[in-house]
Amino acid sequence: MTQMGDGRRNEVARPGPARLGVFLDRGPVLLDGAMGTQLIAAGLRPGECPETWNTARPEAVRRIHQAYLEAGARVVTTNTFGANRRKLSAFGLGRAVAELNQAGVRLAREAVAAAGGNALVAGDVGPTGEFVEPFGPLSFAETYDVYREQIEALAAGGVDFIFLETFSDLGEARAAVLAARDAGIPVACTFTFDAHGRTLLGADPETVAVVLEGLGAIFLGANCSLGPRELVPLIRRMAAVARVPVAVQPNAGLPRLEAGRAVYPQGPEEFGRAGEELLAAGATLVGGCCGTTPDHIRALRRAVEAAGKGGAPRVAGGSRRTLLAGPGGVVAIGPEELPVVIGERLNPTARKRLAEAVRAREFGVYRDEAKAQVAAGAKVLDLNVGVPGVDEAAAMRAAVAAVEAAVPVPLSIDSANAQALAAGLEIFHGRALLNSVNGKEEVLAEVLPLARRYGAAVLGLTLDERGIPPRAEERLAIARRIVAAAEAAGLRREELLIDCLVLAAGAQQAEVAETLRAVRLIREELGVGTVLGVSNVSHGLPGRSLLNATFLAMALGAGLDAAIVNPLDARVWETLQAGAVLVNRDRHARVYLATQPKEERRPQAADTAGSLPAPAAARMPEPPPAAEGDSVAALYRAIVEGEAEKTPNLVAKALAGSDPLEIVDRAVVPALEEVGRRYEAGEYFLPQLMLSADAARAAFAELKPHLARGGAPAGRGTVVLATVEGDIHDIGKNIVAVMLENHGFRVVDLGRDVPAARVVEAARAERAGLVGLSALMTTTMVGMGRVIEALQAAGLPAKVMVGGAVVTEEFARQIGADGYGRDAVAAVRLAQELTAGRERG
């Protein structure tokens, strides 16, 4: 199978199963529908492990596959969604990974054979239910091992490809994709999004598409959580950036309770009509998720057949843009885009403060520098930890974790050490720029495979064994070798940027013009994006800001696409904004005009330029009114910014001049309210929410003994939390627990898979005023109603709030809950409302 990249319709992706390519050549491909919905209809009990039916009730699973094949599906997915070691261990089946996965493959294969063999078998793989570092407890290595075990079992059983479904954490998906590729089997992946078009950790559809395609997914897309019409705009956005086919498997609407069962309301005909909109939006593989049946797939088949009359589906064609992705969005670098600023300040060279931070493995300084640069408008951050005598790979890993948790932009991972590059690329949840390779054969051989493995773009330096050549033509020749080697390694030309290398004007003045000439030549002959470390030109000379800005203007005229500069320099922004207009990149001067005030004054450093506006999440919070240097205001900032390591010292300083209750009222509570506001406004996402929660918890830990001596504020009462019986998912519940504790509630967390009787017992024993229930599966969400009935039967006055991925406000009303918390912030506000007037000390 040839590599996709030029938009030719008969190419799928690298790597890819030839048979899927044949199907796609004929038109859109019909996937199957929900397995869980059909198992429930066949008698699966709440809390029962669905994968055990592969061995306990194989005929039932085989019949479900056969029904989907008869409906027209050309891909059936194995009944192995939760058959990884961590999920199975919750049922005491951690040693049954190979048995259950291979049994699942066998049943799907038998069904396909009985139907004539004209279908593929996809090995279904779902998430572990836990976040991956730096946002969760699982290490990348452990996550990789869990998936490698399951995927090797599926591959041994004979699946055509691996289908990763319903993911919400890019770090987890990256580990799973790599596990599949290392097992030698093609892999596809779809993510689940909320109603705002974001994953649980805040990634948008474009980010997901860019990261998965870079990793080598044969197709990508969205499934679950939403109905078909809600997914149309998300599929359109993915298809606009993806060069591989886009898949979609919507739910049959949002669930509601009927006769004590959770049902999905959208019927087959309506679902099939919505499929036409999904195909028009750019989907090339369509199927169903929760609530769909063979009848839904049969109705969808008509839309697929109608679309197939137009020939093979289209995917995005070639582009001269280089796409990078951070946790919060995509940055495009190319000749049709605004020039991009790459922040240069995360480099310990000649910066003693950063070098000391690297040696001490204390990366708060890096995080602060990152926030300042992004707030000033940098769209990408170059990150280097090269300090003599340190373990550079370990330092890089820690620095990347600190920075990506603090800012939402892509990183340029900068090192001459291949192990350090690999460590940074592994833990970064987006699509990084690998900085760098050069024309040396051994460097190309060592570093390019890292870019291919981790889906990174590459920055190539025009130097080789002889150093930096003086003439532009010689640098062009090195660039040619780099491009050829990268393409031979499986990278597209659009995944490359070339740095023609700026030399100091004070030492090699004549070669400054050669650098600019090299930019022109490389742009014209090779068609790749160009980058320059602009600040190098002024090294050793006075008036560096003026020299840098002047050289930047000249470089923009030569065709420069991105500049590694100090984004805190206002003159850089003045030059960039004006230059983008004059080289016709800022069409109609939109960005320039937006940054110019009505009255003449110097633009501030926070004025932005680049392919995207400065992320709102990076803006510094406004503290409560306070005198300069006020430690209470500083504590407020630290909590809003999620700087847990700073809070103990700031609390100690604040206690020297303020009452502990005053600190809570002026810093901690307002900070948590501001974090909640930003989360609800879409400025913060779950990572920022968790970091701020950790910072607030650290502050409370320091304040607690002082509050006890001085008279603690009245508590808001006790909340009992539980994931209902049969459900082993608890990520959301755990986050709610932390948020409630930080807002003054006493939390009794019963964990997951909790029977109704135990919830009643705890509510009575703890005299709880509120019970919070969570469920992630339609098979278990009905258990919430049973808990409410049990509480009422016991005569307990506790209010009940419910939440979880499958839960809706309508469902909450139907089961008699007192409220529905759509997320952690909403749950806190609801808890405050439901317990108002019931506070206990």
Side-chain angles (χ1 to χ4, degrees):
M1 182 62 60
T2 53
Q3 174 184 320
M4 175 169 285
D6 58 7
R8 286 179 291 176
R9 75 179 194 178
N10 64 332
E11 296 180 343
V12 179
R14 49 166 208 254
R19 293 184 66 203
L20 182 58
V22 171
F23 281 135
L24 285 169
D25 278 346
R26 299 170 184 165
V29 173
L30 186 62
L31 308 173
D32 62 5
M35 173 62 70
T37 300
Q38 296 302 100
L39 290 175
I40 294 169
L44 181 73
R45 300 185 306 274
E48 187 178 2
C49 177
E51 290 76 19
T52 59
W53 278 43
N54 292 341
T55 52
R57 299 211 30 205
E59 70 290 342
V61 176
R62 190 185 301 108
R63 279 198 300 269
I64 293 170
H65 290 314
Q66 290 169 341
Y68 281 123
L69 289 165
E70 290 168 3
R74 288 296 169 260
V75 177
V76 291
T77 50
T78 57
N79 179 36
T80 54
F81 179 79
N84 64 69
R85 184 195 318 154
R86 297 190 72 86
K87 283 283 188 72
L88 291 177
S89 293
F91 298 99
L93 297 169
R95 296 180 180 275
V97 172
E99 177 189 6
L100 294 177
N101 279 281
Q102 290 177 13
V105 179
R106 184 172 60 254
L107 295 172
R109 278 280 170 223
E110 289 171 356
V112 168
N118 190 28
L120 301 179
V121 173
D124 200 23
V125 175
T128 63
E130 298 183 72
F131 291 137
V132 176
E133 60 179 336
F135 305 121
L138 282 183
S139 71
F140 188 91
E142 183 179 4
T143 307
Y144 173 91
D145 287 343
V146 167
Y147 284 119
R148 184 71 183 264
E149 179 185 24
Q150 182 183 7
I151 288 167
E152 286 187 340
L154 290 166
V159 296
D160 291 296
F161 65 94
I162 298 299
F163 195 173
L164 310 174
E165 291 189 287
T166 325
F167 277 69
S168 60
D169 179 352
L170 274 168
E172 184 178 29
R174 292 175 78 249
V177 170
L178 289 177
R181 287 178 53 193
D182 289 348
I185 186 165
V187 58
C189 183
T190 55
F191 265 64
T192 182
F193 297 88
D194 64 20
H196 303 290
R198 295 274 181 172
T199 68
L200 189 58
L201 286 177
D204 60 21
E206 293 87 351
T207 297
V208 170
V210 167
V211 172
L212 291 177
E213 182 184 332
L215 287 167
I218 58 173
F219 64 82
L220 53 89
N223 78 295
C224 204
S225 291
L226 302 172
R229 289 197 166 87
E230 290 82 4
L231 284 176
V232 166
L234 306 189
I235 293 304
R236 186 176 293 116
R237 290 167 63 182
M238 285 184 144
V241 297
R243 297 168 176 269
V244 297
V246 175
V248 61
Q249 291 179 289
N251 290 346
L254 299 176
R256 65 189 184 202
L257 192 68
E258 290 183 5
R261 296 177 58 194
V263 299
Y264 286 81
Q266 195 166 65
E269 294 307 314
E270 183 183 358
F271 189 83
R273 288 192 297 272
E276 297 173 8
E277 298 178 43
L278 290 165
L279 290 164
T284 54
L285 300 98
V286 292
C289 201
C290 299
T292 59
T293 68
D295 286 338
H296 289 79
I297 300 305
R298 190 171 289 106
L300 194 58
R301 177 182 182 176
R302 291 191 284 273
V304 167
E305 289 175 344
K309 294 176 182 177
R314 293 175 298 170
V315 295
S319 169
R320 296 181 68 188
R321 301 187 303 169
T322 299
L323 299 180
L324 307 177
V330 171
V331 172
I333 300 174
E336 303 300 320
E337 306 295 330
L338 288 165
V340 169
V341 164
I342 301 175
E344 69 181 9
R345 295 175 57 84
L346 296 180
N347 192 319
T349 304
R351 298 197 68 193
K352 183 179 179 181
R353 186 162 166 254
L354 266 65
E356 290 174 349
V358 173
R359 291 191 182 95
R361 296 287 298 276
E362 296 289 342
F363 289 100
V365 174
Y366 268 70
R367 188 182 56 239
D368 292 344
E369 284 280 8
K371 289 179 180 178
Q373 291 184 93
V374 173
K379 298 295 177 271
V380 181
L381 298 180
D382 190 73
L383 194 158
N384 183 292
V385 293
V387 174
V390 305
D391 180 342
E392 191 173 349
M396 180 65 81
R397 189 178 192 88
V400 169
V403 171
E404 76 169 312
V407 294
V409 301
L411 297 182
S412 167
I413 298 175
D414 182 359
S415 178
N417 182 322
Q419 290 182 331
L421 289 172
L425 290 170
E426 181 178 273
I427 198 171
F428 185 56
H429 284 208
R431 189 182 198 207
L433 177 63
L434 188 157
N435 184 4
S436 56
V437 298
N438 55 51
K440 298 178 182 178
E441 296 275 347
E442 64 273 18
V443 173
L444 291 167
E446 185 177 35
V447 176
L448 288 177
L450 293 178
R452 183 68 188 89
R453 175 173 180 77
Y454 292 106
V458 178
L459 182 62
L461 310 182
T462 55
L463 64 86
D464 59 15
E465 294 83 357
R466 297 169 295 176
I468 304 172
R471 293 186 53 77
E473 288 80 5
E474 295 171 294
R475 298 186 201 184
L476 172 62
I478 294 173
R480 280 197 204 102
R481 296 205 306 270
I482 293 172
V483 170
E487 290 181 329
L491 297 170
R492 294 190 304 266
R493 198 163 291 210
E494 291 76 25
E495 295 172 308
L496 295 173
L497 297 170
I498 296 293
D499 186 341
C500 299
L501 297 172
V502 180
L503 300 173
Q508 293 165 290
Q509 189 171 353
E511 294 183 20
V512 172
E514 288 298 303
T515 296
L516 296 176
R517 203 159 65 85
V519 169
R520 289 191 184 92
L521 289 174
I522 288 168
R523 165 60 68 198
E524 292 168 1
E525 179 170 325
L526 300 179
V528 296
T530 54
V531 178
L532 288 176
V534 169
S535 301
N536 293 339
V537 76
S538 64
H539 183 73
L541 292 173
R544 295 194 66 183
S545 177
L546 177 60
L547 284 168
N548 292 343
T550 303
F551 180 70
L552 176 59
M554 297 170 69
L556 290 173
L560 184 70
D561 298 305
I564 303 174
V565 291
N566 176 11
L568 305 185
D569 184 347
R571 186 176 269 135
V572 164
W573 289 110
E574 292 175 337
T575 303
L576 198 69
Q577 290 156 2
V581 175
L582 301 179
V583 297
N584 198 32
R585 289 195 176 194
D586 182 6
R587 301 297 167 80
H588 307 293
R590 287 192 178 94
V591 173
Y592 178 79
L593 292 173
T595 61
Q596 299 305 304
K598 292 181 181 179
E599 67 280 4
E600 285 194 8
R601 61 181 175 85
R602 290 178 63 86
Q604 300 300 306
D607 291 343
T608 64
S611 57
L612 296 172
R619 298 175 192 143
M620 291 296 289
E622 289 300 323
E628 176 126 6
D630 186 349
S631 55
V632 174
L635 177 62
Y636 169 93
R637 286 183 183 273
I639 294 172
V640 171
E641 291 296 302
E643 298 170 337
E645 76 283 355
K646 291 183 179 179
T647 53
N649 185 49
L650 289 172
V651 168
K653 289 181 178 180
L655 285 169
S658 301
D659 179 86
L661 285 177
E662 180 188 3
I663 295 171
V664 172
D665 291 340
R666 287 187 56 226
V668 181
V669 172
L672 289 171
E673 290 175 347
E674 172 63 11
V675 169
R677 183 198 68 76
R678 293 184 183 203
Y679 182 83
E680 291 181 326
E683 298 173 6
Y684 270 15
F685 300 101
L686 194 55
Q688 292 79 31
L689 190 70
M690 293 189 294
L691 287 171
S692 294
D694 288 342
R697 188 160 46 184
F700 275 124
E702 296 295 319
L703 287 167
K704 190 172 181 178
H706 302 278
L707 291 168
R709 290 195 297 269
R716 291 186 177 274
T718 298
V719 182
V720 169
L721 293 182
T723 299
V724 295
E725 185 173 14
D727 202 314
I728 60 173
H729 303 88
D730 62 358
I731 288 179
K733 173 187 64 62
N734 294 343
I735 295 167
V736 170
V738 172
M739 294 291 291
L740 288 172
E741 287 175 341
N742 283 341
H743 282 79
F745 289 92
R746 175 174 171 264
V747 175
V748 178
D749 188 348
L750 301 181
R752 55 192 184 182
D753 190 17
V754 182
R758 189 175 168 212
V759 177
V760 171
E761 179 185 344
R764 179 185 291 114
E766 303 293 343
R767 300 175 61 193
L770 180 63
V771 172
L773 303 174
S774 174
L776 191 70
M777 302 184 297
T778 53
T779 55
T780 59
M781 62 190 291
V782 293
M784 293 176 164
R786 289 193 285 271
V787 174
I788 293 172
E789 291 171 0
L791 288 167
Q792 293 171 344
L796 296 178
K799 300 283 188 180
V800 179
M801 64 178 185
V802 297
V806 296
V807 179
T808 64
E809 191 166 5
E810 180 184 357
F811 179 81
R813 286 195 300 268
Q814 288 178 318
I815 62 174
D818 297 289
Y820 160 67
R822 68 180 181 277
D823 53 46
V825 172
V828 170
R829 299 203 191 287
L830 178 60
Q832 291 170 334
E833 294 171 7
L834 293 176
T835 59
R838 301 177 63 165
E839 290 89 348
R840 295 172 51 219

